Amino acid sequence: MEIARLAGVSRSTVSRVINNYSNVPPETREKVLRIIEQYHYVPNASAQVLAGKKTRTIGLFMIEAGQVSSDMLTNMLIASIIENASSRGYYVLTHILRNAEDAESIRGVKDIFYQRRIDGGLFIGANNDEPFIEQLISEGYSVAIVDQEKPGCEESNRIVANFDNESGMMQAVKWLAGLKHRQIGLISGDMRRYSGPSKLDGYYKAMKHCGIPVEKKWILPAGFNEQSGYEAVNEFMRTGVPLPTAMITANDSVAFGAIRALREHGILVPQHISIIGFDDHALSSRFQPALTTLRIDFGAMMERLTNSLIDHIEHRTSGFTKFAVDMQLIVRDSCREN
Amino acid sequence: MEIARLAGVSRSTVSRVINNYSNVPPETREKVLRIIEQYHYVPNASAQVLAGKKTRTIGLFMIEAGQVSSDMLTNMLIASIIENASSRGYYVLTHILRNAEDAESIRGVKDIFYQRRIDGGLFIGANNDEPFIEQLISEGYSVAIVDQEKPGCEESNRIVANFDNESGMMQAVKWLAGLKHRQIGLISGDMRRYSGPSKLDGYYKAMKHCGIPVEKKWILPAGFNEQSGYEAVNEFMRTGVPLPTAMITANDSVAFGAIRALREHGILVPQHISIIGFDDHALSSRFQPALTTLRIDFGAMMERLTNSLIDHIEHRTSGFTKFAVDMQLIVRDSCREN
DNA sequence: TCTTTCTATAAACGCGCGTTTATATTTCTA
DNA sequence: TAGAAATATAAACGCGCGTTTATAGAAAGA
C-alpha cells in the first residue's frame, strides 16, 4: 500500500481499485493500476491473510511416502493437483507422512492447519475415518480424501473420491470368463486400506455374477507392492496347491512380483496362467508380458477432487460430496484363452 | 498470545518462554508451557511472518511438467526434498511451470517470492542463467538450482548442483572400450539444457582419453524423451550410413525409443549393437534387454541441495556453493563384447 | 443562494504476533 | 536502612494490509 500511496492517492483508493469496487473515478483507477505495474508492487501474502483474506493455499498430504512415491501414478496425481489448483489461483503445500499412526506426524499435519498456512487439505493414502481427519473436519476445515465412503460419512462435511473397484473387478472377471477361464484366483491387497476389502468384495460379486465358484485357496493375501506379490506366490507354491488358470492382482506392482515368482517356478504368463492387474502402471505396457490391466484416469479424478475442495473452501459447496471414478480395461498380452 | 495471557502472565513473558530467553522464573515458565499445551495453542504463521519471522517454507519449482513428471525420478526428487525440508522444520510449496519462456508463468514464480510466501526456491529443470532467476538472485533471494555451473556464476549468490556427466561418460566409454568396441556413437540430448552439451563434452573427452576417434556421423541429435530417441534412430537409418557397434544415449528414455526403432529395423540389442543409457530409470531393470546405465543418487543429491538451500536461508552459508554428483555404472544386459 | 445528498479522499483501527521500552518489584551492596 | 543494581511484569509499537469511519468536496434540488 505504501508504495501505491507514493502515487498520489490514498490507500483506501488503492484498496478499492484492487478489489474492483465501484466508487472510484476511472482516471484515478487507471493511474493507480499504472503505478502498481510500474513499481511491480505485489501485496505481502502474510499481511493479506492477517487482514482477513484466505491463504489461497491447499495442503497436499501423502501418507506412506515410501510406498506412494515409488508408485508411478503419484507423479500424475501431484502434477494434476498442482496444475488444477494453480489454474484457480491456489498454491499447494506438499507434505509427506511416513505413517498415519505416529503422533508426531499427526501433530505436524494438524499444525499446518492450525497455523493457518492453508485453507484446506487433500489427503492421499489416508483412511477416511482417521481420527485426526475427523477432528479437522469437525473443527470446520475443508478436507478432501481419496478413500471409500464409510457409513455415517454422509452427514459430515467432507469430500470423498474413490475408485469403482467393483466395476473394475466385474470387467476383469467377465474378460477372463469370456476367455473360458473357470478357475480365477485373486491376489488381494492390504486389507487395512480401502482398496483391499473393496476389491475383494468386487471379486466375490463379479464371480457370483458370472456364475463362477470362488475357491478360497486361490485367494492369496498380499500388500500393494511388488515384493508382497512375489512373496504371496512363493508362499502359495510351498503349499503344493495347484494354480488356477487365471489370477487377478490387487495392482500392477503386485502382478510384477507375482509374475517374477511364477517365472522362477517355471510357470509362464500367459502360456500357463493369465494375469490381470490394476492401475495401468507406467511399466505395464513395457513389461514382459505387457500387462492387461484396469486403468483409472487419475488426472481427471484429481481434477475433480481439487476443484471440489476449492469450491468447498470458497463456500460454493458444502456438506458431503462424493464421486467414484470408473475403470477401463486395457487389453494387452498377459491373458490367453483357456 | 491472547490465549496464553489468559494463563495469568503477560504476553512478553510468553514470548520469552517460547524463544527460550533467560530472564524468566522457572516456575512461571513451567506454567506457561503447561497452559500452551493445555489449550493446544499454535501461533498463527502469517502473524509470525508479519512480525519478522521467516515463513519456514521453500518453493519447489519444476519446469516442464509434462516431461519431468512423466519421468520416474521426479518422484524421488520431490519426496527427498520434502522429507529433508520437513526434518529441518520447513514446508514445501510446490509449483509447476509449463515452460520457462512464458511471461505469465515467470510472473507467477516471481510473485511467490514477492508475496513472501517462501524463504527461498529450488529449481529443477531450469537453466542456471535464466534471466528471471538471475533477477531473483540479484534481489537477494536464496536460490538453489540443478544445473551446470556457468562462467561468471562463481561471483553470484547461488547454490548449484549438477551431475558429473564427464565422469559418467568416461565410465561408459571405458566400459565399451573394455568390450573391444571402437565404433561408439552418441545419441545426444537437448542442447538447450545442461545435460546436452555437458554429455557431449564428456563424450569427446572420454573418447579422446581412450584413444578412440570420434565420427560425427555417429552423433545423433535428439531430446530427452523416448520419442526423440525413436525418431533419431529412424532419421539416421534413412541416411544409409552404417551403424556403429555401440551407442551411448542421453538418458534411458532415449535408449528405450532408440532400441524400439532399432528393433523395427531388425537390429537387436545387444546382439547387433550395444547400448548404454543414463539415469537408471525405474523401467531400465525390467526393460528387454535390461539396460546398462549410469545411476545417479538423486535422493542424496536432493538432500544436499535442500540442506544447502536452508543453510543459505538461515545465513549459515553465503555466496556461491556448488557440488557435482558422481554416477555409478550399472551393468546389465544391453552391452556385449564386440 | 443555501441546504441536502451523494461521492471522493483521508485517516484510524484491527488482524496476531514479536520486540522494545517503561514501570513495578525484589535483591544486594554500602 | 537507604540507595543502587538486577530482575519481573506490563504496556505500547510496528509489521503490511483491508476495511470502516470521518471528513472534505462536488452535484443536485429547493
Side-chain angles (χ1 to χ4, degrees):
Chain A
M1 286 311 205
E2 291 304 316
I3 293 183
R5 174 150 68 176
L6 300 179
V9 299
S10 79
R11 296 182 14 189
S12 52
T13 309
V14 175
S15 178
R16 272 188 250 97
V17 170
I18 291 176
N19 293 32
N20 252 323
Y21 277 16
S22 54
N23 50 346
V24 46
E27 61 178 26
T28 305
R29 151 166 281 134
E30 284 299 324
K31 188 167 78 180
V32 170
L33 287 177
R34 208 175 55 241
I35 296 293
I36 287 177
E37 183 62 27
Q38 182 181 334
Y39 283 79
H40 285 116
Y41 170 72
V42 179
N44 180 302
S46 295
Q48 287 191 115
V49 171
L50 203 56
K53 294 282 184 185
K54 299 276 185 176
T55 63
R56 299 199 76 81
T57 305
I58 62 176
L60 170 56
F61 301 94
M62 296 179 287
I63 323 282
E64 270 199 0
Q67 190 173 348
V68 174
S69 74
S70 71
D71 218 339
M72 191 92 186
L73 52 91
T74 313
N75 256 334
M76 290 170 36
L77 301 192
I78 298 177
S80 173
I81 291 165
I82 293 175
E83 283 171 16
N84 280 291
S86 187
S87 73
R88 291 191 61 172
Y90 278 74
Y91 300 98
V92 178
L93 190 69
T94 320
H95 196 77
I96 293 178
L97 280 86
R98 281 255 159 260
N99 74 69
E101 275 76 47
D102 177 36
E104 195 180 344
S105 302
I106 291 175
R107 181 104 285 266
V109 174
K110 287 160 86 173
D111 278 353
I112 293 177
F113 283 87
Y114 295 157
Q115 290 176 142
R116 302 276 162 185
R117 286 179 183 270
I118 56 178
D119 297 333
L122 202 160
F123 289 83
I124 297 178
N127 288 321
N128 194 344
D129 51 4
E130 206 78 61
F132 76 93
I133 295 183
E134 292 292 335
Q135 186 187 349
L136 289 170
I137 291 170
S138 73
E139 287 168 345
Y141 293 101
S142 296
V143 167
I145 315 171
V146 181
D147 192 22
Q148 82 185 122
E149 41 175 325
K150 305 263 170 62
C153 284
E154 292 76 10
E155 300 154 17
S156 74
N157 193 11
R158 46 153 62 76
I159 300 156
V160 176
N162 56 38
F163 317 121
D164 197 340
N165 282 321
E166 282 194 16
S167 157
M169 247 340 146
M170 189 66 80
Q171 294 180 60
V173 173
K174 277 186 179 170
W175 178 253
L176 291 171
L179 292 172
K180 310 238 167 61
H181 287 277
R182 297 287 297 173
Q183 301 179 354
I184 303 176
L186 176 73
I187 303 183
S188 66
D190 187 340
M191 284 303 158
R192 294 168 304 179
R193 296 243 163 280
Y194 158 58
S195 264
S198 159
K199 279 173 181 157
L200 185 61
D201 278 2
Y203 169 75
Y204 273 98
K205 286 186 186 163
M207 293 288 274
K208 184 173 181 183
H209 180 268
C210 293
I212 304 174
V214 171
E215 301 278 351
K216 292 215 168 152
K217 64 186 178 192
W218 287 330
I219 299 180
L220 321 189
F224 282 124
N225 54 32
E226 179 167 350
Q227 185 62 19
S228 73
Y230 180 79
E231 288 167 3
V233 167
N234 281 334
E235 187 72 24
F236 177 81
M237 298 306 281
R238 269 195 288 276
T239 66
V241 176
L243 281 166
T245 62
M247 295 205 87
I248 301 169
T249 65
N251 67 25
D252 290 354
S253 295
V254 172
F256 299 151
I259 291 172
R260 183 158 56 90
L262 288 167
R263 188 164 46 222
E264 289 175 9
H265 285 88
I267 296 153
L268 297 181
V269 177
Q271 291 87 337
H272 305 134
I273 186 170
S274 293
I275 300 280
I276 290 187
F278 272 81
D279 292 355
D280 194 20
H281 194 288
L283 297 165
S284 304
S285 62
R286 316 184 215 223
F287 195 78
Q288 293 285 353
L291 201 63
T292 294
T293 187
L294 285 141
R295 175 191 293 166
I296 301 169
D297 189 345
F298 285 104
M301 179 177 188
M302 287 305 140
E303 182 180 339
R304 282 186 69 180
L305 201 59
T306 306
N307 281 313
S308 295
L309 177 61
I310 294 176
D311 286 344
H312 191 274
I313 287 169
E314 295 176 350
H315 301 111
R316 304 162 71 95
T317 63
S318 67
F320 182 70
T321 306
K322 70 151 188 169
F323 48 86
V325 180
D326 201 10
M327 302 183 178
Q328 179 191 3
L329 182 72
I330 308 294
V331 176
R332 297 206 183 93
D333 312 331
S334 63
C335 298
R336 180 172 290 187
E337 192 158 357
N338 188 27
Chain B
M1 283 312 202
E2 291 305 317
I3 291 183
R5 174 150 67 177
L6 300 178
V9 299
S10 78
R11 295 174 24 180
S12 52
T13 309
V14 175
S15 178
R16 270 187 252 96
V17 170
I18 291 176
N19 292 33
N20 251 325
Y21 278 16
S22 53
N23 49 346
V24 46
E27 60 178 25
T28 305
R29 151 167 281 135
E30 284 299 324
K31 188 168 79 181
V32 170
L33 288 177
R34 208 176 57 240
I35 295 292
I36 287 177
E37 183 62 26
Q38 181 181 333
Y39 283 79
H40 285 115
Y41 170 71
V42 179
N44 180 302
S46 296
Q48 287 191 118
V49 171
L50 203 56
K53 295 281 185 184
K54 299 276 186 177
T55 62
R56 299 198 75 80
T57 305
I58 62 175
L60 170 56
F61 300 94
M62 295 179 288
I63 322 281
E64 268 198 2
Q67 190 173 348
V68 174
S69 73
S70 71
D71 216 342
M72 192 91 186
L73 52 89
T74 314
N75 256 334
M76 291 170 38
L77 301 191
I78 297 176
S80 174
I81 291 165
I82 293 175
E83 284 172 15
N84 280 290
S86 186
S87 73
R88 291 190 61 173
Y90 277 74
Y91 301 99
V92 178
L93 190 70
T94 319
H95 194 78
I96 292 178
L97 279 85
R98 279 254 160 261
N99 74 69
E101 275 75 46
D102 177 36
E104 196 180 345
S105 302
I106 292 175
R107 180 106 286 267
V109 173
K110 287 160 84 173
D111 278 353
I112 292 177
F113 282 87
Y114 296 157
Q115 290 177 143
R116 302 276 163 187
R117 299 188 108 98
I118 57 177
D119 297 333
L122 201 161
F123 289 83
I124 297 177
N127 287 320
N128 195 342
D129 51 5
E130 206 79 58
F132 77 92
I133 295 183
E134 292 290 339
Q135 187 188 350
L136 288 171
I137 291 169
S138 72
E139 286 166 345
Y141 294 101
S142 296
V143 167
I145 316 171
V146 181
D147 193 21
Q148 83 185 120
E149 42 174 324
K150 305 265 170 61
C153 284
E154 293 77 9
E155 300 153 16
S156 74
N157 193 12
R158 44 151 67 73
I159 299 156
V160 177
N162 56 38
F163 317 120
D164 198 340
N165 282 320
E166 281 194 16
S167 156
M169 259 319 160
M170 189 66 81
Q171 294 179 61
V173 172
K174 277 186 179 168
W175 178 252
L176 291 171
L179 292 173
K180 310 238 169 61
H181 287 278
R182 298 287 297 171
Q183 301 178 354
I184 303 175
L186 176 73
I187 303 183
S188 67
D190 187 341
M191 284 303 160
R192 294 166 305 178
R193 299 242 164 279
Y194 157 59
S195 264
S198 159
K199 279 172 181 158
L200 185 62
D201 278 3
Y203 169 76
Y204 272 100
K205 286 187 186 162
M207 292 290 273
K208 185 172 181 182
H209 180 268
C210 293
I212 304 174
V214 171
E215 301 278 351
K216 291 214 167 153
K217 64 185 179 193
W218 286 331
I219 299 180
L220 321 188
F224 281 124
N225 54 31
E226 179 168 347
Q227 186 61 20
S228 71
Y230 181 79
E231 287 167 4
V233 167
N234 281 335
E235 186 73 24
F236 177 80
M237 298 307 280
R238 270 196 287 278
T239 66
V241 176
L243 282 165
T245 63
M247 297 206 85
I248 300 169
T249 65
N251 66 27
D252 290 355
S253 294
V254 172
F256 299 150
I259 292 172
R260 183 159 55 91
L262 288 167
R263 189 164 47 220
E264 289 176 8
H265 284 90
I267 297 153
L268 297 181
V269 178
Q271 291 85 335
H272 305 135
I273 186 170
S274 293
I275 299 281
I276 290 187
F278 271 81
D279 290 357
D280 194 19
H281 194 287
L283 297 166
S284 303
S285 62
R286 317 183 214 225
F287 195 78
Q288 294 283 358
L291 202 64
T292 294
T293 186
L294 285 141
R295 175 190 292 167
I296 302 169
D297 189 345
F298 285 104
M301 179 177 188
M302 286 305 140
E303 182 178 340
R304 283 187 68 180
L305 200 59
T306 306
N307 281 314
S308 295
L309 176 62
I310 294 176
D311 286 344
H312 191 274
I313 287 170
E314 295 177 350
H315 305 292
R316 304 162 71 94
T317 64
S318 66
F320 182 70
T321 307
K322 70 151 188 168
F323 49 85
V325 179
D326 201 10
M327 302 184 179
Q328 178 191 5
L329 182 72
I330 307 294
V331 176
R332 298 205 183 92
D333 312 329
S334 62
C335 298
R336 180 171 291 187
E337 192 158 358
N338 187 28

Short mmCIF file of all heavy atoms in Angstrom, two decimals, chain B residues 230-259:
data_model
loop_
_atom_site.label_atom_id
_atom_site.label_comp_id
_atom_site.label_asym_id
_atom_site.label_seq_id
_atom_site.Cartn_x
_atom_site.Cartn_y
_atom_site.Cartn_z
N TYR B 230 13.53 -42.47 -30.54
CA TYR B 230 12.94 -43.26 -31.62
C TYR B 230 13.14 -42.58 -32.97
O TYR B 230 13.59 -43.18 -33.94
CB TYR B 230 11.46 -43.44 -31.31
CG TYR B 230 10.67 -44.26 -32.31
CD1 TYR B 230 10.74 -45.64 -32.30
CD2 TYR B 230 9.85 -43.64 -33.24
CE1 TYR B 230 10.01 -46.40 -33.20
CE2 TYR B 230 9.12 -44.38 -34.14
CZ TYR B 230 9.20 -45.76 -34.13
OH TYR B 230 8.48 -46.49 -35.02
N GLU B 231 12.85 -41.30 -32.98
CA GLU B 231 12.96 -40.54 -34.23
C GLU B 231 14.41 -40.39 -34.67
O GLU B 231 14.71 -40.42 -35.87
CB GLU B 231 12.31 -39.16 -34.06
CG GLU B 231 10.79 -39.24 -34.02
CD GLU B 231 10.16 -37.94 -33.54
OE1 GLU B 231 10.92 -36.98 -33.31
OE2 GLU B 231 8.92 -37.91 -33.37
N ALA B 232 15.29 -40.20 -33.71
CA ALA B 232 16.70 -40.00 -34.05
C ALA B 232 17.25 -41.21 -34.80
O ALA B 232 17.96 -41.07 -35.80
CB ALA B 232 17.51 -39.74 -32.78
N VAL B 233 16.89 -42.39 -34.31
CA VAL B 233 17.37 -43.60 -34.97
C VAL B 233 16.75 -43.74 -36.36
O VAL B 233 17.44 -44.04 -37.34
CB VAL B 233 17.07 -44.85 -34.11
CG1 VAL B 233 17.28 -46.12 -34.91
CG2 VAL B 233 17.96 -44.85 -32.87
N ASN B 234 15.46 -43.52 -36.44
CA ASN B 234 14.80 -43.63 -37.75
C ASN B 234 15.41 -42.65 -38.75
O ASN B 234 15.63 -42.98 -39.91
CB ASN B 234 13.30 -43.37 -37.60
CG ASN B 234 12.58 -44.59 -37.07
OD1 ASN B 234 13.05 -45.71 -37.24
ND2 ASN B 234 11.44 -44.37 -36.41
N GLU B 235 15.66 -41.47 -38.27
CA GLU B 235 16.28 -40.44 -39.12
C GLU B 235 17.64 -40.93 -39.63
O GLU B 235 17.96 -40.83 -40.81
CB GLU B 235 16.44 -39.15 -38.29
CG GLU B 235 16.93 -37.96 -39.07
CD GLU B 235 15.84 -37.40 -39.97
OE1 GLU B 235 14.64 -37.62 -39.65
OE2 GLU B 235 16.18 -36.77 -40.97
N PHE B 236 18.40 -41.48 -38.70
CA PHE B 236 19.74 -41.96 -39.04
C PHE B 236 19.68 -43.10 -40.05
O PHE B 236 20.45 -43.15 -41.01
CB PHE B 236 20.46 -42.42 -37.77
CG PHE B 236 21.82 -43.00 -38.02
CD1 PHE B 236 22.90 -42.15 -38.22
CD2 PHE B 236 22.02 -44.37 -38.07
CE1 PHE B 236 24.17 -42.67 -38.45
CE2 PHE B 236 23.28 -44.89 -38.30
CZ PHE B 236 24.36 -44.05 -38.50
N MET B 237 18.73 -44.00 -39.84
CA MET B 237 18.63 -45.15 -40.73
C MET B 237 18.32 -44.72 -42.16
O MET B 237 18.74 -45.37 -43.11
CB MET B 237 17.54 -46.11 -40.22
CG MET B 237 17.80 -46.71 -38.84
SD MET B 237 19.40 -47.50 -38.64
CE MET B 237 19.09 -49.09 -39.44
N ARG B 238 17.59 -43.63 -42.27
CA ARG B 238 17.25 -43.14 -43.61
C ARG B 238 18.49 -42.70 -44.39
O ARG B 238 18.49 -42.70 -45.61
CB ARG B 238 16.27 -41.97 -43.51
CG ARG B 238 14.82 -42.42 -43.54
CD ARG B 238 13.89 -41.26 -43.82
NE ARG B 238 13.76 -40.37 -42.69
CZ ARG B 238 12.92 -40.59 -41.66
NH1 ARG B 238 12.17 -41.67 -41.65
NH2 ARG B 238 12.85 -39.74 -40.67
N THR B 239 19.53 -42.28 -43.67
CA THR B 239 20.73 -41.80 -44.35
C THR B 239 21.52 -42.93 -44.98
O THR B 239 22.35 -42.70 -45.86
CB THR B 239 21.66 -41.06 -43.37
OG1 THR B 239 22.15 -42.00 -42.41
CG2 THR B 239 20.92 -39.94 -42.66
N GLY B 240 21.29 -44.15 -44.50
CA GLY B 240 22.01 -45.28 -45.07
C GLY B 240 23.41 -45.46 -44.52
O GLY B 240 24.11 -46.40 -44.89
N VAL B 241 23.82 -44.57 -43.63
CA VAL B 241 25.13 -44.72 -43.01
C VAL B 241 25.13 -45.96 -42.12
O VAL B 241 24.17 -46.20 -41.40
CB VAL B 241 25.45 -43.47 -42.16
CG1 VAL B 241 26.78 -43.65 -41.42
CG2 VAL B 241 25.48 -42.22 -43.03
N PRO B 242 26.17 -46.77 -42.18
CA PRO B 242 26.21 -47.96 -41.32
C PRO B 242 26.29 -47.59 -39.84
O PRO B 242 26.90 -46.58 -39.49
CB PRO B 242 27.48 -48.70 -41.77
CG PRO B 242 28.23 -47.76 -42.64
CD PRO B 242 27.32 -46.67 -43.07
N LEU B 243 25.67 -48.42 -39.00
CA LEU B 243 25.65 -48.15 -37.56
C LEU B 243 27.01 -48.43 -36.92
O LEU B 243 27.77 -49.25 -37.43
CB LEU B 243 24.61 -49.07 -36.89
CG LEU B 243 23.14 -48.70 -37.02
CD1 LEU B 243 22.27 -49.88 -36.63
CD2 LEU B 243 22.83 -47.50 -36.14
N PRO B 244 27.28 -47.76 -35.81
CA PRO B 244 28.46 -48.14 -35.03
C PRO B 244 28.17 -49.44 -34.29
O PRO B 244 27.05 -49.95 -34.35
CB PRO B 244 28.62 -46.97 -34.06
CG PRO B 244 27.25 -46.44 -33.89
CD PRO B 244 26.55 -46.64 -35.21
N THR B 245 29.13 -49.95 -33.56
CA THR B 245 28.90 -51.20 -32.83
C THR B 245 28.33 -50.94 -31.44
O THR B 245 27.87 -51.85 -30.78
CB THR B 245 30.21 -51.99 -32.69
OG1 THR B 245 31.15 -51.21 -31.91
CG2 THR B 245 30.81 -52.29 -34.05
N ALA B 246 28.39 -49.68 -31.02
CA ALA B 246 27.84 -49.34 -29.71
C ALA B 246 27.37 -47.89 -29.71
O ALA B 246 27.89 -47.06 -30.47
CB ALA B 246 28.90 -49.54 -28.62
N MET B 247 26.38 -47.61 -28.88
CA MET B 247 25.91 -46.23 -28.75
C MET B 247 25.62 -45.89 -27.29
O MET B 247 25.12 -46.71 -26.53
CB MET B 247 24.63 -46.00 -29.57
CG MET B 247 24.81 -46.20 -31.06
SD MET B 247 23.60 -45.24 -32.02
CE MET B 247 24.43 -43.67 -32.12
N ILE B 248 25.93 -44.64 -26.96
CA ILE B 248 25.59 -44.12 -25.64
C ILE B 248 24.44 -43.13 -25.85
O ILE B 248 24.47 -42.33 -26.77
CB ILE B 248 26.80 -43.40 -25.01
CG1 ILE B 248 27.97 -44.38 -24.88
CG2 ILE B 248 26.43 -42.81 -23.66
CD1 ILE B 248 29.28 -43.71 -24.51
N THR B 249 23.43 -43.22 -25.01
CA THR B 249 22.28 -42.32 -25.19
C THR B 249 22.19 -41.31 -24.05
O THR B 249 22.68 -41.56 -22.94
CB THR B 249 20.96 -43.12 -25.24
OG1 THR B 249 20.74 -43.75 -23.98
CG2 THR B 249 21.01 -44.18 -26.33
N ALA B 250 21.55 -40.21 -24.34
CA ALA B 250 21.47 -39.09 -23.38
C ALA B 250 20.83 -39.52 -22.07
O ALA B 250 21.21 -39.07 -21.00
CB ALA B 250 20.70 -37.93 -24.00
N ASN B 251 19.82 -40.38 -22.16
CA ASN B 251 19.28 -40.98 -20.95
C ASN B 251 18.53 -42.27 -21.31
O ASN B 251 18.47 -42.65 -22.48
CB ASN B 251 18.39 -40.01 -20.16
CG ASN B 251 17.13 -39.63 -20.90
OD1 ASN B 251 16.62 -40.39 -21.72
ND2 ASN B 251 16.61 -38.45 -20.62
N ASP B 252 18.00 -42.92 -20.33
CA ASP B 252 17.38 -44.22 -20.55
C ASP B 252 16.12 -44.13 -21.41
O ASP B 252 15.85 -45.01 -22.22
CB ASP B 252 17.04 -44.89 -19.21
CG ASP B 252 18.29 -45.31 -18.46
OD1 ASP B 252 19.39 -45.16 -19.03
OD2 ASP B 252 18.17 -45.78 -17.32
N SER B 253 15.37 -43.06 -21.23
CA SER B 253 14.16 -42.91 -22.04
C SER B 253 14.52 -42.87 -23.52
O SER B 253 13.88 -43.51 -24.36
CB SER B 253 13.42 -41.63 -21.66
OG SER B 253 12.93 -41.72 -20.34
N VAL B 254 15.54 -42.11 -23.84
CA VAL B 254 16.02 -42.05 -25.22
C VAL B 254 16.44 -43.44 -25.69
O VAL B 254 16.13 -43.85 -26.82
CB VAL B 254 17.19 -41.05 -25.34
CG1 VAL B 254 17.83 -41.13 -26.72
CG2 VAL B 254 16.73 -39.64 -25.03
N ALA B 255 17.09 -44.16 -24.79
CA ALA B 255 17.52 -45.51 -25.14
C ALA B 255 16.33 -46.41 -25.46
O ALA B 255 16.36 -47.17 -26.43
CB ALA B 255 18.34 -46.11 -24.00
N PHE B 256 15.27 -46.28 -24.67
CA PHE B 256 14.08 -47.10 -24.93
C PHE B 256 13.56 -46.84 -26.35
O PHE B 256 13.25 -47.78 -27.08
CB PHE B 256 12.96 -46.77 -23.93
CG PHE B 256 13.32 -47.03 -22.49
CD1 PHE B 256 12.74 -46.27 -21.49
CD2 PHE B 256 14.23 -48.02 -22.15
CE1 PHE B 256 13.07 -46.50 -20.16
CE2 PHE B 256 14.56 -48.26 -20.83
CZ PHE B 256 13.98 -47.49 -19.82
N GLY B 257 13.46 -45.58 -26.69
CA GLY B 257 12.96 -45.23 -28.02
C GLY B 257 13.90 -45.71 -29.11
O GLY B 257 13.47 -46.25 -30.14
N ALA B 258 15.18 -45.53 -28.88
CA ALA B 258 16.18 -45.93 -29.88
C ALA B 258 16.14 -47.44 -30.09
O ALA B 258 16.17 -47.91 -31.23
CB ALA B 258 17.57 -45.49 -29.42
N ILE B 259 16.05 -48.17 -28.99
CA ILE B 259 16.04 -49.63 -29.10
C ILE B 259 14.79 -50.11 -29.85
O ILE B 259 14.83 -51.02 -30.66
CB ILE B 259 16.13 -50.27 -27.70
CG1 ILE B 259 17.52 -50.00 -27.10
CG2 ILE B 259 15.85 -51.77 -27.76
CD1 ILE B 259 17.66 -50.40 -25.65
#
